[in-house]
Amino acid sequence: MNKATARLLVERCLSRFSDVGLPQLEASSIQDVRIKPIATLWAGMGQVYDVTIMTAAGPPTSIVAKQVQMPRRCTSIGDQRK
């Protein structure tokens, strides 16, 4: 996941932050988004990331995001289930 993708994900999720106990943020207040891979999924089919949101006001806020990258052809039953 690159910074642009992470920022877009964060901006799409902002409206739900207060629903899960995170601070309410405005997209315009985001100064930076930092991405750190924390786990690999199912035989390399994706990753789990720690996404840290930096703003001018307040401490950083972190969320966990999963990015799944399915193969072009899912030939096994296990791949199809995933």
Side-chain angles (χ1 to χ4, degrees):
M1 180 180 302
N2 61 37
K3 277 190 173 225
T5 301
R7 185 178 180 112
L8 183 60
L9 173 68
V10 167
E11 289 175 358
R12 288 181 178 172
C13 295
L14 288 175
S15 65
R16 301 295 307 260
F17 273 27
S18 62
D19 295 343
V20 295
L22 293 171
Q24 188 67 37
L25 302 174
E26 297 294 326
S28 61
S29 71
I30 298 172
Q31 292 183 324
D32 193 20
V33 176
R34 297 184 184 157
I35 310 103
K36 177 182 163 188
I38 55 176
T40 301
L41 303 177
W42 318 294
M45 289 190 184
Q47 296 227 343
V48 177
Y49 296 93
D50 174 30
V51 180
T52 303
I53 305 144
M54 312 296 287
T55 65
T61 300
S62 289
I63 62 170
V64 174
K66 177 171 63 173
Q67 183 178 39
V68 178
Q69 300 162 333
M70 296 298 293
R72 291 187 194 272
R73 292 187 61 207
C74 294
T75 55
S76 74
I77 298 296
D79 286 351
Q80 292 173 15
R81 269 196 325 246
K82 293 172 188 155

